Amino acid sequence: MEHRPLIERLARHLAATPDDWPARVEDAASILAILKQPDSAMLAAGDPGVWEAMIDAALRERWTVTPPAADDQPPAGADEEGEIRLSPDAVGNNRADWVHLQAPQETSP
């Protein structure tokens, strides 16, 4: 089997039929975004900076494995929670790309 980008392999695995994998690339990107934050077992096994760089590289493949939409809009991705839409320029080498500012929750007195 030829070597394919991780995001394409995930999309192919998620697809119901072999020809439907391009429609599942966004789902694969969402899975990769979730995996970007290592858990405690993963942290104990290796360097989290290397892991995050590898996931970023896999996420950048998102916009190369499927052709652009007919309307020339880049395909959208999402953040870890699936709430913030990401453009192809949103995934870079700057860790600040992934910072999410949220309003603090109110606490009861």
Side-chain angles (χ1 to χ4, degrees):
M1 186 171 146
E2 65 190 71
H3 182 69
R4 293 184 172 138
L6 175 60
I7 198 159
E8 180 179 342
R9 288 183 280 151
L10 283 171
R12 287 178 181 277
H13 179 76
L14 295 170
T17 64
D19 294 335
D20 291 339
W21 73 266
R24 301 307 303 262
V25 170
E26 186 172 340
D27 295 331
S30 295
I31 290 169
L32 284 172
I34 291 168
L35 290 172
K36 184 172 180 173
Q37 184 65 42
D39 63 20
S40 59
M42 294 165 71
L43 288 170
D47 182 352
V50 171
W51 175 259
E52 290 174 7
M54 292 170 70
I55 295 296
D56 279 343
L59 285 168
R60 281 191 294 277
E61 292 290 322
R62 162 69 178 93
W63 294 280
T64 61
V65 298
T66 56
D71 60 3
D72 291 326
Q73 293 294 323
D79 68 340
E80 292 90 346
E81 293 81 25
E83 298 169 350
I84 300 172
R85 304 304 283 176
L86 299 174
S87 69
D89 298 326
V91 180
N93 293 325
N94 185 345
R95 293 186 70 181
D97 291 344
W98 292 88
V99 173
H100 304 286
L101 301 177
Q102 298 177 0
Q105 293 182 345
E106 294 182 22
T107 58
S108 55

